[in-house]
Amino acid sequence: MTVAHSHRFPTAVNPINISLLSKQLLHLGRTNNNNSGTFSEISHQRELLVSSLISKLDDCINLNQIKQIHGHVLRKGLDQSCYILTKLIRTLTKLGVPMDPYPRRVIEPVQFRNPFLWTAVIRGYTIEGKFDEAIAMYGCMRKEEITPVSFTFSALLKACGSMGDLNLGRQFHAQTFRLRGFCFVYVGNTMIDMYVKCGSIVCARKVFDEMPERDVISWTELIAAYARVGNMESAAELFESLPTKDMVAWTAMVTGFAQNAKPQEALEYFDRMEKSGILADEVTVAGYISACAQLGASKYADRAVQIAQKSGYSPSDHVIIGSALVDMYSKCGNVEEAVNVFVSMNNKNVFSYSSMILGLATHGRAQEALDLFHYMVTQTAIKPNTVTFVGALTACSHSGLVVQGRQVFDSMYQTFGVEPTRDHYTCMVDLLGRAGQLQEALELIKTMSVEPHGGVWGALLGACRIHNDPYIAEIAAEHLFELEPDIIGNYILLSNVYSSAGDWGGVLRVRKLIKEKGLKKTPAVSWVVDKNGQMHKFFPGNLNHPMSKKIQDKLEELVERLTALGYQPDLSSVPYDVSDNAKRLILIQHTEKLALAFSLLTTNRDSTITIMKNLRMCQDCHMFMRLASEVTRRVIIMRDNMRFHHFRSGACSCGDFW
DNA sequence: TTAGGGTTAG
């Protein structure tokens, strides 16, 4: 093949462009016929002027500067040059100037508008979020019989994606193909993105499969789309077949696993990425930290901090890293460190505040959480979002602050325009329910404009268990069993309500129901991590631990010392119809007590004991931990499936309200 | 001109 036939040099020029070009040249000539220079000299001078103005536009940082240049353009008679006006409009878009009225008016006097000028306007409206206007501009452009370029379709497909308008997206897909095909990879990529945003991953995949040429962006878009819908198998399969994996593609996998509650896999992919010699950036590291937060153990937290430091991302300078660390430290039981990170952050956004508020809330520091919330909404320009309100309401519900909770709930929509979702109703039902206002909680559910989900009824049932109300419990359970028929915890809750009321017949009925459904009880487990990073798990009455004998002895000793302080086992915490003595034996084998005894035997006297548990702690264990913190003079941090309890000098951070 | 972003309750 000779050079003349190379695809980079088209053999024929589009006839429309030729006529456009000649008309523009004529126009330039007309505006300069008072000048003595030759036509080519004049156009050369003009070219120089245009290129100098274009580079000036690149440096513009505000609207006034652009308007000055525009004035210059008009004075010099360059107002018909699509080239410079396109650049002008793109600069306005870059600075976030709304298309109406100014940028839009710039193109009106232009006699022969080319596709690039139109596209700049379409793109401007798309980025501004005025999608209907963008589409309307395309209509005007077609009316002038201007043939769109690839870039035009890219802007239009982006608008369809943002609108989520699949039908319109399909139409533009067809038009793109008819007029341009997949002439550039980025057009195909925008098409994939459009289908993904419209919720049709199948169509996105079809585009991907049919593209004659793909790049790493095409792959990553699809991988991230699979991850977003929770299909990590397809994401991983696609990723493995990607020939050259770049940092963004790796990040899509790491964050994908983290978002889909597969933290261990997220860490594995991160390690693989490091081994393949690709450096992480702040987004990758934030994904890694999020995975560590889910694992909830300090050994992962330490590693996450090391990685962030090694990569050069300090929490004080990188909001994403800072916010992720605030969340991670809170979830790993170290709320003090979460506060330290938060305070050190130079830039904070709604993620940072929401994470901190939620962290304080789950650690029982309700007043601080509410103070921070109020500080945020009154002293900063940051707008609270739906998660922020979950945090503020959680703070109230975990501390019984009914009045404040109601205020926050009412202000949500009235003051901040945030519509309460089912999750916020869950918090409110939890708040009222825990405070003993079960009837009010039930009434609140009835006022909901959306259908309540399992969370709402679950909160009510949980409150019924605390306050022993079998009547409302049955109403809640009826709805709950319909919405979440396979979650064993719901049945156990109802069973516990019956057992607290001494209704053993009710207990038997629920047990039969569980058996019929073939559901398996989740075994309780508590765990601690020793100073070598080794995890030790404890199951109920599990005597297989190598230190089992010592643990039992330690517990016996502890019970003796606690009894001297007035400890009486809370037999109502055992939901079985057995003898009192049997109840005592069951209670002393609760997993968190085993974990406590183990920690007392294996840790330094001045270190904090952190215990994690997969289920809710019972009343007896709560009292036990409280008293144990007094006699042993140790700080015990205990995380159950809901929240953190900090036991210190015989008191708990939750104020016994939980 | 196109890709990855951290916080959610019972």
Side-chain angles (χ1 to χ4, degrees):
Chain A
M1 190 173 78
T2 61
V3 177
H5 287 103
S6 162
H7 64 281
R8 276 189 287 169
F9 302 100
T11 48
V13 180
N14 188 334
I16 297 176
N17 286 348
I18 284 185
S19 74
L20 210 83
L21 213 64
S22 51
K23 279 173 187 167
Q24 282 182 350
L25 284 172
L26 276 175
H27 181 81
L28 278 173
R30 265 202 305 277
T31 53
N32 283 287
N33 53 14
N34 56 344
N35 216 312
S36 59
T38 65
F39 183 81
S40 73
E41 272 172 3
I42 295 161
S43 56
H44 180 65
Q45 280 169 12
R46 282 180 171 263
E47 248 173 54
L48 286 177
L49 182 58
V50 165
S51 58
S52 93
L53 287 175
I54 287 204
S55 73
K56 276 198 180 125
L57 279 168
D58 267 330
D59 300 332
C60 284
I61 51 164
N62 63 43
L63 183 57
N64 275 346
Q65 291 173 333
I66 298 176
K67 283 192 169 169
Q68 269 178 19
I69 292 178
H70 191 200
H72 204 68
V73 166
L74 293 169
R75 280 195 300 280
K76 290 283 176 185
L78 297 171
D79 52 321
Q80 297 299 312
S81 161
C82 290
Y83 184 31
I84 194 159
L85 294 182
T86 300
K87 181 73 188 179
L88 194 115
I89 289 176
R90 291 180 59 88
T91 312
L92 288 162
T93 302
K94 200 172 81 187
L95 291 179
V97 178
M99 286 305 288
D100 286 313
Y102 174 55
R104 173 78 185 83
R105 242 176 12 215
V106 169
I107 73 158
E108 263 160 24
V110 183
Q111 270 183 295
F112 305 107
R113 294 177 274 236
N114 77 6
F116 296 98
L117 185 58
W118 275 114
T119 303
V121 176
I122 294 170
R123 184 170 170 274
Y125 276 120
T126 302
I127 288 174
E128 197 187 333
K130 289 188 171 171
F131 307 118
D132 291 341
E133 287 292 327
I135 308 293
M137 285 301 109
Y138 177 68
C140 298
M141 170 181 173
R142 295 312 305 264
K143 233 182 242 165
E144 289 185 6
E145 297 189 343
I146 307 288
T147 311
V149 290
S150 314
F151 185 27
T152 320
F153 286 115
S154 178
L156 290 166
L157 289 164
K158 192 175 172 162
C160 294
S162 305
M163 283 190 290
D165 192 331
L166 186 59
N167 281 333
L168 199 59
R170 284 211 170 104
Q171 283 176 34
F172 282 122
H173 177 162
Q175 283 193 45
T176 312
F177 206 77
R178 204 172 57 240
L179 289 163
R180 295 274 152 189
F182 284 116
C183 53
F184 293 106
V185 183
Y186 77 84
V187 177
N189 289 347
T190 323
M191 214 175 274
I192 293 176
D193 188 55
M194 182 273 292
Y195 279 120
V196 168
K197 289 214 173 89
C198 291
S200 179
I201 200 162
V202 177
C203 292
R205 180 63 193 244
K206 201 157 170 277
V207 172
F208 177 86
D209 288 336
E210 285 169 0
M211 278 165 77
E213 196 190 326
R214 307 178 193 111
D215 61 11
V216 66
I217 296 178
S218 334
W219 298 79
T220 310
E221 272 177 338
L222 210 51
I223 288 168
Y226 280 126
R228 235 171 277 139
V229 296
N231 184 353
M232 286 313 290
E233 291 79 29
S234 299
E237 205 182 296
L238 201 58
F239 179 77
E240 296 309 336
S241 65
L242 170 58
T244 30
K245 303 166 172 66
D246 72 357
M247 182 240 284
V248 180
W250 279 106
T251 308
M253 290 306 289
V254 172
T255 52
F257 279 119
Q259 286 161 351
N260 286 292
K262 291 185 161 75
Q264 212 70 56
E265 284 91 336
L267 302 194
E268 278 165 25
Y269 272 76
F270 188 92
D271 288 342
R272 272 182 62 196
M273 170 179 158
E274 277 201 319
K275 282 203 188 89
S276 68
I278 307 248
L279 289 178
D281 79 349
E282 55 185 316
V283 182
T284 332
V285 175
Y288 184 89
I289 296 173
S290 162
C292 292
Q294 292 173 47
L295 292 165
S298 48
K299 79 162 176 176
Y300 296 110
D302 294 342
R303 171 112 172 88
V305 172
Q306 277 170 12
I307 283 183
Q309 279 169 348
K310 198 179 84 185
S311 319
Y313 298 111
S314 73
S316 47
D317 296 328
H318 297 269
V319 205
I320 309 177
I321 301 288
S323 309
L325 283 177
V326 167
D327 173 58
M328 183 194 72
Y329 277 124
S330 300
K331 287 191 176 137
C332 292
N334 193 347
V335 71
E336 289 303 332
E337 201 48 44
V339 171
N340 288 342
V341 170
F342 182 77
V343 170
S344 79
M345 289 169 70
N346 295 323
N347 289 314
K348 301 185 183 85
N349 63 12
V350 69
F351 283 85
S352 339
Y353 274 93
S354 304
S355 300
M356 191 69 263
I357 291 168
L358 212 53
L360 290 167
T362 50
H363 283 270
R365 292 162 67 161
Q367 199 50 55
E368 286 164 87
L370 286 179
D371 289 346
L372 187 62
F373 171 74
H374 286 126
Y375 178 85
M376 173 188 163
V377 296
T378 56
Q379 308 295 314
T380 77
I382 304 166
K383 288 191 173 46
N385 67 15
T386 116
V387 183
T388 322
F389 283 105
V390 169
L393 292 172
T394 304
C396 298
S397 78
H398 282 202
S399 298
L401 306 175
V402 178
V403 178
Q404 289 95 320
R406 277 193 195 273
Q407 277 170 359
V408 170
F409 188 74
D410 290 340
S411 74
M412 264 186 83
Y413 186 69
Q414 285 165 15
T415 316
F416 302 101
V418 179
E419 196 99 42
T421 67
R422 295 188 276 208
D423 298 334
H424 301 104
Y425 278 98
T426 302
C427 294
M428 281 308 285
V429 169
D430 189 45
L431 168 63
L432 296 170
R434 278 178 203 273
Q437 302 178 16
L438 294 168
Q439 196 60 47
E440 287 84 346
L442 184 59
E443 294 304 319
L444 182 70
I445 296 178
K446 288 181 187 159
T447 69
M448 287 174 64
S449 52
V450 277
E451 202 57 32
H453 63 340
V456 176
W457 292 114
L460 187 62
L461 184 57
C464 291
R465 200 205 53 79
I466 297 171
H467 295 286
N468 300 327
D469 189 325
Y471 175 69
I472 296 185
E474 281 176 357
I475 300 174
E478 198 183 322
H479 289 97
L480 194 53
F481 294 172
E482 208 168 283
L483 292 163
E484 298 176 347
D486 298 327
I487 296 185
I488 179 91
N490 297 334
Y491 297 89
I492 306 276
L493 268 178
L494 181 63
S495 168
N496 289 354
V497 176
Y498 286 136
S499 73
S500 297
D503 179 356
W504 302 110
V507 173
L508 282 178
R509 281 201 304 280
V510 181
R511 222 169 268 175
K512 196 165 156 242
L513 207 57
I514 294 174
K515 211 170 178 184
E516 280 169 9
K517 299 248 172 202
L519 300 177
K520 289 268 177 295
K521 208 172 160 175
T522 314
V525 57
S526 292
W527 64 94
V528 294
V529 176
D530 68 20
K531 59 177 184 290
N532 302 319
Q534 185 73 38
M535 189 186 279
H536 299 262
K537 288 185 177 180
F538 299 91
F539 297 96
N542 174 343
L543 303 174
N544 292 333
H545 195 277
M547 287 180 64
S548 175
K549 177 76 178 72
K550 282 185 179 164
I551 290 171
Q552 296 300 325
D553 291 347
K554 188 76 191 169
L555 274 177
E556 237 171 71
E557 176 208 319
L558 209 51
V559 169
E560 235 169 70
R561 291 171 70 191
L562 298 189
T563 309
L565 268 182
Y567 167 68
Q568 287 279 332
D570 177 18
L571 301 183
S572 71
S573 291
V574 181
Y576 308 113
D577 189 16
V578 291
S579 72
D580 285 0
N581 207 34
K583 284 182 180 174
R584 275 191 203 97
L585 288 173
I586 291 170
L587 284 177
I588 199 60
Q589 296 302 328
H590 274 186
T591 61
E592 52 271 59
K593 291 192 184 100
L594 301 176
L596 174 67
F598 171 80
S599 301
L600 287 170
L601 287 165
T602 55
T603 56
N604 299 329
R605 289 191 61 87
D606 53 349
S607 64
T608 299
I609 295 172
T610 305
I611 302 170
M612 307 276 184
K613 185 181 175 169
N614 66 336
L615 302 174
R616 189 181 188 274
M617 195 180 1
C618 75
Q619 286 284 351
D620 184 68
C621 284
H622 195 269
M623 186 171 22
F624 194 93
M625 295 287 164
R626 213 154 49 75
L627 296 171
S629 75
E630 184 162 9
V631 303
T632 62
R633 296 169 186 275
R634 300 288 293 263
V635 177
I636 305 164
I637 297 177
M638 168 88 212
R639 194 210 70 185
D640 64 10
N641 60 345
M642 297 310 313
R643 58 177 293 163
F644 286 90
H645 297 264
H646 292 236
F647 299 96
R648 195 191 302 258
S649 314
C652 179
S653 59
C654 75
D656 297 335
F657 185 90
W658 50 290

